[in-house]
Amino acid sequence: MDLFKKKLDKLAEWMCISLMGIMTLLVTYQVVVRYFFNSPSAFSEALSKYLFVWLVLFGAAYVFGLREHMNIVFLKNLFPTKVRIIVEMIGELTVLAFSVMVMIVGGYQGAIKQMTQMDSSLAISMGWIYAAIPLSGAMMVFYSIYNERALYRQLIGADKATDTAAGLDDLNGM
């Protein structure tokens, strides 16, 4: 599971870097043709807009996987270790439920419904643009399961540390 996470992290990194690079080139092209040649390009504007949506969705899933998303550390650190871990596990389960129900199921249904609608400037199906929602949702499901597993291991470790601190491990030696 760790190897798959590393590969998914690398894929997400390269996707975000590539999308950002392509967007930069497209927007630069758009500025040049608009201001120097007075001929705006509808193609580059639409494509950069859709690539930005993909970048946000995949970037959000990647940041969630790294556990570097926004959180309120002040409140979290007020809890004892075991309670803090349990609260984080509940949060991961909430994100898992959201990712499955809204992003994967709802996103897939939305993408399928949009397959017949074509984008006027790009001449591609809008369903392909909407496909980023269930794909990033699948990434978030994996990351949520991975994080839940890591938190469970922390919880077990916290239990063992509590037992050791209470002297329960020494009972076998008596």
Side-chain angles (χ1 to χ4, degrees):
M1 193 171 218
D2 291 333
L3 179 63
F4 184 76
K5 182 185 183 303
K6 286 180 184 177
K7 289 189 181 288
L8 186 60
D9 286 348
K10 274 292 180 208
L11 176 66
E13 282 177 22
W14 280 106
M15 282 178 59
C16 290
I17 290 168
S18 299
L19 290 171
M20 189 67 184
I22 294 168
M23 283 175 38
T24 301
L25 293 174
L26 285 170
V27 170
T28 303
Y29 169 77
Q30 176 69 13
V31 168
V32 168
V33 297
R34 179 181 301 233
Y35 291 107
F36 293 116
F37 301 110
N38 202 23
S39 174
S41 168
F43 171 81
S44 64
E45 187 173 339
L47 185 56
S48 62
K49 178 175 53 175
Y50 295 139
L51 290 178
F52 182 69
V53 170
W54 276 62
L55 175 66
V56 168
L57 287 167
F58 287 113
Y62 176 57
V63 169
F64 176 73
L66 296 177
R67 296 187 52 91
E68 293 183 2
H69 51 291
M70 212 170 30
N71 63 38
I72 304 172
V73 179
F74 167 73
L75 289 175
K76 190 168 66 173
N77 290 341
L78 293 176
F79 294 121
T81 303
K82 285 174 63 174
V83 174
R84 179 188 50 80
I85 294 171
I86 291 169
V87 167
E88 287 184 27
M89 290 176 80
I90 292 169
E92 291 290 335
L93 288 173
T94 304
V95 170
L96 178 66
F98 174 82
S99 298
V100 169
M101 292 186 296
V102 174
M103 295 188 74
I104 293 178
V105 175
Y108 176 77
Q109 290 172 351
I112 293 299
K113 287 179 185 175
Q114 296 301 322
M115 281 296 181
T116 57
Q117 181 183 352
M118 300 296 281
D119 180 76
S120 60
S121 58
L122 297 178
I124 62 170
S125 170
M126 291 297 292
W128 292 112
I129 294 160
Y130 280 79
I133 299 169
L135 291 175
S136 65
M139 286 175 63
M140 289 180 73
V141 164
F142 170 77
Y143 283 134
S144 186
I145 292 169
Y146 182 87
N147 292 341
E148 192 74 36
R149 188 172 151 237
L151 287 167
Y152 179 74
R153 287 182 179 162
Q154 285 181 13
L155 185 64
I156 297 302
D159 282 342
K160 286 181 181 177
T162 303
D163 292 346
T164 303
L168 297 178
D169 283 346
D170 296 333
L171 291 177
N172 291 336
M174 288 187 175

